[in-house]
Amino acid sequence: AMGSPLGPVLADIFLGFMEHYCLRSAIQNSCLSYHRFVDDCFASFNSIEDATSFLDILNSVHNSLTFTLEVEDEGSLAFLDVNVSRDSSGNAITSVHRKPTWSGLYLHFYSFVPISYKRGLVRTLFDRARKICSPNFLNEEFRIITDALLSNGYPKKFIEKYSLNTCNILL
């Protein structure tokens, strides 16, 4: 069960086993690319028909597995907290994905918690942006993070210091 602390580990082991022993040829023959994180898979195909056929194969491998299919919408698809889209030449570009319900609410700077939590939040948000965003989205992401932190009471100097002195932060 995914609610158990062992859930993600067991899911990763089980799906790794299934990929290796039951799905290897289907992945190699059907997918242009295939990636998995625990129980979330990201694959690309030549057509929707190829994707649907692969989905049927996935769902037939074990009766405890049920996969669903999400297709790109207007050239974009969210996977975990990454938005994957294509540029004009068809190359994948990435940015941070936020659900429509995202409010920008984080730990308020004046909350009664250790300062290390606040430093960690700033560092984590900027590090995530650096790891996820394609270069053309990075400045905008830094601006979004900075605006959200400012609205949560973080001083500008604190943000600058703990964002690891990232270049091109537009405040």
Side-chain angles (χ1 to χ4, degrees), residues 17 47 53 70 77 102-103 110 120 136 143 156 158:
F17 177 86
S47 67
S53 296
E70 291 182 44
L77 179 66
W102 180 74
S103 64
Y110 296 106
N136 52 331
R143 188 181 356 260
K156 187 175 172 181
F158 188 89

Side-chain angles (χ1 to χ4, degrees), residues 9-163:
V9 174
L10 295 174
D12 195 32
I13 292 169
F14 181 72
L15 286 172
F17 177 86
M18 298 307 275
E19 286 168 346
H20 185 77
Y21 291 104
C22 304
L23 296 168
R24 186 184 320 186
S25 66
I27 291 169
Q28 290 173 346
N29 296 331
S30 302
C31 303
L32 296 174
S33 67
Y34 176 87
H35 308 278
R36 180 177 55 83
F37 181 78
V38 186
D39 62 345
D40 290 312
C41 302
F42 184 91
S44 57
F45 302 90
N46 283 318
S47 67
I48 190 68
E49 292 79 19
D50 290 348
T52 305
S53 296
F54 185 71
L55 178 66
D56 292 340
I57 293 168
L58 286 175
N59 284 324
S60 69
V61 170
H62 195 279
N63 60 3
S64 293
L65 294 177
T66 304
F67 289 87
T68 58
L69 177 67
E70 291 182 44
V71 296
E72 65 183 80
D73 182 25
E74 296 181 22
S76 166
L77 179 66
F79 178 68
L80 304 174
D81 61 345
V82 180
N83 187 50
V84 182
S85 53
R86 287 183 270 168
D87 64 13
S88 57
S89 55
N91 297 319
I93 52 176
T94 55
S95 60
V96 172
H97 171 72
R98 291 183 180 83
K99 293 182 179 179
T101 56
W102 180 74
S103 64
L105 186 62
Y106 292 112
L107 174 69
H108 198 278
F109 186 75
Y110 296 106
S111 297
F112 187 66
V113 296
I115 194 75
S116 62
Y117 289 24
K118 299 164 191 173
R119 283 191 305 260
L121 174 64
V122 173
R123 286 179 176 150
T124 298
L125 291 173
F126 281 91
D127 285 346
R128 177 179 76 156
R130 279 187 213 90
K131 290 175 183 172
I132 290 177
C133 292
S134 295
N136 52 331
F137 290 113
L138 202 50
N139 280 339
E140 178 62 21
E141 182 60 23
F142 287 166
R143 188 181 356 260
I144 291 168
I145 294 167
T146 301
D147 289 347
L149 291 170
L150 288 170
S151 70
N152 282 276
Y154 286 74
K156 187 175 172 181
K157 295 273 187 209
F158 188 89
I159 297 168
E160 289 171 351
K161 182 176 181 179
Y162 295 108
S163 64

